[in-house]
Amino acid sequence: VQLVESGGGLVQAGGSLRLSCAASGIFFSGYTMGWYRQAPGKERELVAIITGGRVTNYADSVKGQFTISRDNAKNTVDLQMNSLKPEDTAVYYCNAELRSNTYWGQGTQVTVSS
């Protein structure tokens, strides 16, 4: 199983980034896919999840700012991040979950400068 994130980088406050995660080795459409983040000195936290049926859930801190989407034909899940703030700076991780099976990507750094 592999989850490979891409799209991180350095952006100024107010800017946008789009993260993408490519999954392989899993029955993708059956998995709930998610994005989590971990800032320095803080615990990893949920950002957004999307079920196979495209039901979504967001952390309160990113509602209206981030959008999660998935393409079951391409085995990808994206996170569109708009109006970025310095507090969005973190390593962002892709997650795949189905019952007791959980997989993580290696993470991609997002840095928002003020």
Side-chain angles (χ1 to χ4, degrees), residues 2-4 20-30 33 54 69-78 94:
Q2 274 197 314
L3 301 177
V4 180
S20 186
C21 172
S24 59
I26 59 173
F27 177 57
F28 183 79
S29 60
M33 301 300 297
R54 294 184 172 82
S69 60
R70 66 188 293 160
D71 186 331
N72 288 340
K74 295 181 179 179
N75 288 8
T76 58
V77 57
D78 291 350
C94 180

Side-chain angles (χ1 to χ4, degrees), residues 7 12 23 29 42 47-48 68 72 75 94 101 104 109 111:
Q12 288 188 332
S29 60
K42 295 188 177 181
V47 175
I68 190 170
N72 288 340
N75 288 8
C94 180
N101 297 320
W104 294 93
Q109 177 71 46
T111 302

